[in-house]
Amino acid sequence: MIDFCRYADYFAAIEEKTVALGIDRDVFFRLDPVSAVNSRGLRDEEISLSPPDVSRNGEELTVVWTARSSLWEKKEYVFRLSPAFLSYSVRVYGKGAVDSIDYLIGDRRNRFYGSGYEAADYYAPLGLANAYSPNRVFTTAQETHLGFLGGFSPTPLVFSFRMAGFDDRFLLGLAALPGNASFDGLTYKSVRFGPDISRFCLHAGFGGYQEVDGCWESPAVIGLTAASDLEGLRRYARWHYGRGVPRAAPGEIPEWWNGPFFCGWKEQAVSPGIGNPKDAASQEIYQRMSDTLDERGLRPSAVIIDDKWQKEYGAALPDPEKWPDMRAFVDAQHQKGRRVVLWFKSWDAEGLEDDECILSETGERLAADPTSPAYRARVRDFMRTLLSADAGCMNADGFKIDFADCIPAEKNMRIHEKGVYGVSLMYRFMKLIYTEAKREKTDSLINTSCCHPLFARFTDQARLHDNYFALRDSVRIMKERAVLFRAVMPGVSIDTDAGSCGSRRDFMRYARECVNFGVPDLYILNPIEDCALTKEDWEEIRVIWNAYRQANACKRDETKKRLPHA
């Protein structure tokens, strides 16, 4: 053993070619410091590795291995150990474009390589949780990817490992900071050799967009311990907030953000005589929905106009055939005490010009480009048209941002800002939408499905997203998602979305319980097969909403009483 440090939360034993990490006396991992930084379609292979250099600064320990490899003039593998966290990163020297990094893979010239583990399984904070299954726990023999996955885009990029017979967790995750996040996620990979030898590594894809000309240091793998998976997620988030990532916007939120909400998507799907639900996103049909809300005595604070009110997704202006006078509809809703939120399709290039788009290698329009000056100017223009109260504008009140997981991920894309890909590209997109909306209307609502601390500042409200109609446990499934959002983005409001309309019983259970963990959001007004609500059900929903509003008013009054007088 070369060196050893024991902190309150974990210990680390530094050996010539491994770092053993554990809790109390039990070793969770024996990490191999060697990582492969693959470039231009070539696999990075180790040539030489020097013994580690160890230095101390108070309680902090830094360990650096120096290496040469087939693709880089020099590499340095850097562990930084401190009482609360540890981090591991790779510095490469030379010239190339990073395709991917296999963190902690070891020297692949050896018969056996990879990092050793004693963990039996791990928790992965998935959104829709494995194609709608609520399972998020996997054995260490299974591979799992975290990134842009439907309900959470992106997910928290961290795995929480459990060792058999041990309560505490050891977490390994990838840091995502604004200046160094051009990767598309994090994958846990099992590295197996025959029936008896099994190790692991962590994989991150960079798509070839991270250029190196000189020296570049990779995003860090973060290590931390916690008493539970959920506490581990909180600590992963705090690591980011402690390094300059802004938290959710401080201060009291506008009262209307507290809901309840009504979203017209399911009603679009069951509108009589309509084949495609998108065709029902019209002024005529939404006026019917508004009238039905009045008849039922339901008083949502906002109506969400869903897919597709736009003539073209990318241009994001109302379709005049569907919406001959959107401003008149919005004004009428405002008179009823309701705001109007517009559904927004992320990335879609419909109606955009080439200079506003991310293009494929062959020049095909793939997606809107948030780094394009032309697209940024367009966003500013349509935000004014949609949100401003000026004559000729719509005076709407915010956006429900959907399809964020459709972020482009091809090789050799033409993006205006070089080196931007993956999480960094998503960051620029969400920042653009948020900033331009707030520039036009400060109390506009930005509702997203981002579940990572990097996006907390650009998310007023987190949407729990779709629940598969064949499932019958909406309360548990959606509550788990709400808990995950609150762990990584504290202070962000929660849109509970619709639960499931697959059965009346499950729908009503969700209507009763969702008010306890977020903003209720109603999606249906008319009977749906297997979910035909009775007159008594509608009366119960009306009572639930009234009680929810009253409880929020009481909380607001109590908060004001506790504030110091000016």
Side-chain angles (χ1 to χ4, degrees), residues 381-407:
D381 287 345
F382 72 58
M383 285 297 179
R384 181 179 186 280
T385 299
L386 297 174
L387 298 181
S388 173
D390 292 347
C393 299
M394 303 301 113
N395 200 21
D397 301 286
F399 297 95
K400 169 184 170 180
I401 311 297
D402 207 354
F403 284 89
D405 58 320
C406 293
I407 184 170

Side-chain angles (χ1 to χ4, degrees), residues 86-165:
L86 66 93
S87 71
Y88 164 84
S89 57
V90 188
R91 281 196 291 259
V92 293
Y93 298 81
K95 191 170 184 176
V98 179
D99 290 337
S100 63
I101 299 179
D102 294 307
Y103 287 97
L104 311 168
I105 185 68
D107 187 343
R108 289 185 286 205
R109 297 174 302 170
N110 295 336
R111 181 183 177 190
F112 304 123
Y113 54 84
S115 289
Y117 62 88
E118 286 297 334
D121 52 42
Y122 60 91
Y123 173 91
L126 297 166
L128 295 183
N130 193 23
Y132 304 112
S133 165
N135 177 52
R136 293 182 176 88
V137 178
F138 303 87
T139 73
T140 40
Q142 293 175 279
E143 182 173 305
T144 304
H145 176 73
L146 298 172
F148 303 110
L149 301 171
F152 294 172
S153 292
T155 64
L157 301 170
V158 62
F159 298 105
S160 178
F161 293 90
R162 182 193 68 87
M163 187 161 56

Side-chain angles (χ1 to χ4, degrees), residues 417-464:
E417 183 181 346
K418 301 298 183 186
V420 174
Y421 172 75
V423 176
S424 288
L425 186 62
M426 181 71 80
Y427 180 84
R428 282 157 176 75
F429 180 82
M430 290 297 175
K431 182 179 181 180
L432 173 64
I433 297 298
Y434 187 91
T435 302
E436 294 303 334
K438 298 296 182 178
R439 185 195 305 276
E440 198 58 52
K441 183 172 282 187
T442 56
D443 74 336
S444 59
L445 176 68
I446 302 301
N447 174 305
T448 84
S449 295
C450 301
C451 190
H452 191 283
L454 185 60
F455 297 89
R457 190 62 183 86
F458 309 128
T459 299
D460 297 322
Q461 188 172 74
R463 176 187 168 214
L464 298 187

Side-chain angles (χ1 to χ4, degrees), residues 114 234 413:
R234 294 190 187 102
M413 296 185 294

